[in-house]
Amino acid sequence: MVERKQARGEATRAAIIRTATELFATRGYEATSIETVLEKSGISRGALYHHFDSKEALFEAVFEAIEARIAQATVEASRAIADRVEAMRVGAEAFLDLSREPAIRQIVLTDAPAVLGWQKWRDIDARFGFGLLKSSLKAAAADGRLRPELVEVYAHILLAALLETALVIARASDPAKASRLGRAALKELVDKLIGPPRKAAQTSRRKKAPTS
């Protein structure tokens, strides 16, 4: 009985998040009301407030779910690459591809910093994309490819560049062209900051490419 009740609760929470994600993505945070979420989801007010005590709390849950999906996609894209810096670059490219999705463009790139505030937004991202970025840079520092004291600063530099590039791609009249230029710029930036990928990583990536 307890397990069934818990499963129903989790299913209800997931349904609310799915509905809210669609609404936040298409209408934006400000134009989405709790009443609209209730109407679209068919869930009672009591059920919604059992899981989320405010619209901001609901938005935070939506943001975390999207961040988790992005992190998983970047990990999957770079899983077979041994060189951590090259894996970081490939993961970043996967994020740039995802940034063309309306949900990521509106929720992650546009609304999240303003709705959650800089500190909470960064704390959440530290558990997902930003955390992966710092982990890769720490590995590069341990391998002697950059000074350890620069890891934190480089992480912020690369994150800022990645987010701005994603916004450029998302808003471009020719997203495909903007994506190509963004990838090229990102590669050049990482090469200048840390150095190009090692030959073994390049070889591994070339071997993998025909099967992807």
Side-chain angles (χ1 to χ4, degrees), residues 12-31:
T12 298
R13 188 179 190 277
I16 296 169
I17 289 175
R18 282 196 302 272
T19 300
T21 299
E22 180 181 347
L23 290 170
F24 287 141
T26 55
R27 304 185 182 193
Y29 178 80
E30 292 298 332

Side-chain angles (χ1 to χ4, degrees), residues 16-34 36-37 40 48 52 54-63 66 102-108 110-112 115:
I16 296 169
I17 289 175
R18 282 196 302 272
T19 300
T21 299
E22 180 181 347
L23 290 170
F24 287 141
T26 55
R27 304 185 182 193
Y29 178 80
E30 292 298 332
T32 300
S33 66
I34 287 294
T36 305
V37 176
K40 293 292 185 180
L48 187 146
F52 311 102
S54 65
K55 187 171 81 165
E56 181 181 325
L58 175 56
F59 180 87
E60 182 176 337
V62 167
F63 176 65
I66 295 177
I104 293 174
R105 181 175 65 245
Q106 184 64 44
I107 296 169
V108 175
T110 303
D111 284 339
V115 174

Side-chain angles (χ1 to χ4, degrees), residues 136-158:
S136 296
L137 291 174
K138 286 178 180 178
D143 207 23
R145 298 174 71 179
L146 74 154
R147 302 205 310 271
E149 64 269 24
L150 293 180
V151 166
E152 185 74 22
V153 176
Y154 274 20
H156 284 274
I157 289 172
L158 289 173

Side-chain angles (χ1 to χ4, degrees), residues 36-109:
T36 305
V37 176
L38 294 175
E39 179 185 342
K40 293 292 185 180
S41 65
I43 292 169
S44 70
R45 185 178 298 272
L48 187 146
Y49 279 108
H50 174 74
H51 294 283
F52 311 102
D53 60 11
S54 65
K55 187 171 81 165
E56 181 181 325
L58 175 56
F59 180 87
E60 182 176 337
V62 167
F63 176 65
E64 287 198 11
I66 295 177
E67 283 281 285
R69 181 166 69 87
I70 293 171
Q72 183 62 33
T74 59
V75 169
E76 290 295 331
S78 59
R79 188 182 299 280
I81 301 173
D83 185 285
R84 290 295 298 273
V85 175
E86 177 66 358
M88 176 185 71
R89 189 198 331 265
V90 172
E93 290 177 351
F95 169 70
L96 292 181
D97 290 339
L98 289 170
S99 69
R100 295 165 66 176
E101 294 184 12
I104 293 174
R105 181 175 65 245
Q106 184 64 44
I107 296 169
V108 175
L109 300 177

